[in-house]
């Protein structure tokens, strides 16, 4: 792992913790550009992308996360939540 890759990875982790998903995603992609086998960066990129997908899902649906209108799509949302690490049992049905 190059020094540059490690710096990008650290920046990605900090951005992810702050909820700055675009910044985190870009940092992880820069990490992987110079160190493609850095599995931690690949995993964290996946987490950031899933969190982004969750936000996009709510924006697209025009719903707040606690809206009663989520009932019809609850199974999909539970699956997404399980993978993002914010609830659920980790199983997609």
């Amino acid at each position: 792992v190059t020094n540059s890759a490690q710096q990008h990875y650290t920046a990605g982790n900090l951005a992810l913790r702050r909820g700055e998903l675009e910044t985190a995603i870009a940092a992880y992609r820069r990490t992987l550009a110079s160190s493609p086998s850095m599995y931690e960066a690949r995993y964290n990129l996946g987490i950031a992308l899933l969190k982004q997908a969750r936000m996009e899902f709510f924006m697209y649906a025009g719903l707040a996360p606690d809206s009663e209108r989520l009932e019809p799509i609850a199974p999909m949302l539970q699956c997404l939540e399980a993978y993002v690490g914010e609830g659920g049992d980790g199983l997609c049905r």
Side-chain angles (χ1 to χ4, degrees), residues 5 7-9 11-13 15 22-32:
Q7 289 174 344
H8 291 305
Y9 176 68
N13 288 345
E22 291 291 332
T23 301
I25 290 166
Y28 292 134
R29 287 192 169 144
R30 284 191 298 273
T31 302
L32 293 168

Side-chain angles (χ1 to χ4, degrees), residues 75-76 78-79 89-93:
M76 287 182 356
Q78 287 172 343
C79 181
D89 59 9
L91 299 175
C92 294
R93 294 169 176 65

Side-chain angles (χ1 to χ4, degrees), residues 24-83:
I25 290 166
Y28 292 134
R29 287 192 169 144
R30 284 191 298 273
T31 302
L32 293 168
S34 61
S35 292
S37 63
M38 191 173 178
Y39 68 90
E40 301 96 333
R42 193 163 304 281
Y43 178 84
N44 288 353
L45 172 60
I47 295 299
L49 289 168
L50 284 169
K51 286 180 177 277
Q52 185 181 53
R54 179 180 183 268
M55 288 176 53
E56 291 290 328
F57 180 81
F58 285 125
M59 285 182 6
Y60 178 77
L63 303 170
D66 58 349
S67 172
E68 291 177 10
R69 295 188 295 164
L70 285 176
E71 193 63 35
I73 55 173
M76 287 182 356
L77 184 58
Q78 287 172 343
C79 181
L80 181 59
E81 295 290 324
Y83 280 107

